[in-house]
Amino acid sequence: MSRPSAQTVSAQSDAANRVATVPNLISFVRLLGVPLFLYLFLARRADAVAVLILAIGGTTDWVDGFVARRIRQVSRLGELLDPFVDRLYILATLVAFTVREVTPWQFTVVLLGREVLLGGCLLVLRRFGYGPPQVHYVGKTATFILLAAFPVLLLSAVLGSDAPATVAAAVGWGLAWWGVVLYWIAGLLYVWQTAALVRLSGARTERV
């Protein structure tokens, strides 16, 4: 099996370190949607426009990754920025929804608890010299479902108490709790990955 040439390896390294890429631009545009949503929803109370911003920003979380693979512009920044923007959307929406009483505080605590767990894993990994773990497909699925559920829940609050609002609430909460379960499963998988890396690091230290 032939080994990649030094030129190929260098080109791959340069691509991984690039900042100005189309996928990263998409991620930055999505990032701008977070403060815009918060401003519209909390300050202006422009709920209809806030629903639209949240729907576009949330449900397009797959676009930057798809484009990166499609046009071969995968970068380390993109690998970090994509999940960061997704998580920021979730956290910002949780805070805003709790303030406006769209969702109960118990729901927010359940999701924030998972973020605290993941934060602990990141601290442990950093202590042992590892970076953030690779995003698991279960986590990506959970994120997509949650980001799809939030606009539906907000829509149900905007509609009021009529039949369409009831249907929207049922769909929104169905998606939300499904997303929560997968979100926690992904969190437990990250704990397992962290434990495995710590054991590997310990085994290497013993061999030395």
Side-chain angles (χ1 to χ4, degrees):
M1 183 170 147
S2 61
R3 302 176 68 178
S5 65
Q7 184 177 2
T8 301
V9 172
S10 177
Q12 292 174 343
S13 177
D14 290 342
N17 293 325
R18 289 179 62 185
V19 173
T21 66
V22 173
N24 289 348
L25 177 60
I26 295 173
S27 295
F28 279 119
V29 171
R30 291 184 60 236
L31 182 60
L32 294 176
V34 175
L36 179 59
F37 162 72
L38 291 175
Y39 171 71
L40 291 170
F41 187 61
L42 295 177
R44 294 292 301 275
R45 299 295 178 104
D47 293 349
V49 183
V51 168
L52 180 61
I53 296 297
L54 186 60
I56 294 174
T59 57
T60 55
D61 71 309
W62 59 273
V63 173
D64 38 13
F66 173 79
V67 172
R69 292 185 296 271
R70 188 74 174 180
I71 65 177
R72 298 182 181 180
Q73 287 190 348
V74 176
S75 66
R76 183 55 181 162
L77 175 61
E79 291 175 347
L80 297 174
L81 187 60
D82 184 18
F84 170 76
V85 174
D86 293 342
R87 191 162 291 113
L88 191 60
Y89 260 103
I90 290 175
L91 294 177
T93 304
L94 282 174
V95 171
F97 278 18
T98 304
V99 171
R100 289 279 305 274
E101 298 183 346
V102 175
T103 56
W105 63 266
Q106 294 91 337
F107 179 78
T108 301
V109 169
V110 169
L111 281 177
L112 290 182
R114 190 268 194 183
E115 294 302 318
V116 171
L117 178 67
L118 183 58
C121 290
L122 293 176
L123 290 176
V124 172
L125 289 172
R126 179 172 295 181
R127 180 181 177 185
F128 284 87
Y130 294 104
Q134 290 291 326
V135 178
H136 199 276
Y137 75 92
V138 176
K140 289 295 292 182
T141 302
T143 299
F144 179 80
I145 292 173
L146 285 171
L147 292 177
F150 289 149
V152 181
L153 289 174
L154 180 52
L155 180 63
S156 69
V158 172
L159 292 175
S161 59
D162 54 5
T166 303
V167 173
V171 172
W173 281 114
L175 289 171
W177 285 112
W178 182 24
V180 166
V181 171
L182 290 180
Y183 210 53
W184 267 97
I185 290 175
L188 295 177
L189 288 174
Y190 291 138
V191 171
W192 180 83
Q193 289 177 330
T194 300
L197 289 172
V198 170
R199 286 195 299 269
L200 178 62
S201 179
R204 288 174 177 173
T205 302
E206 290 177 1
R207 286 197 298 269
V208 172

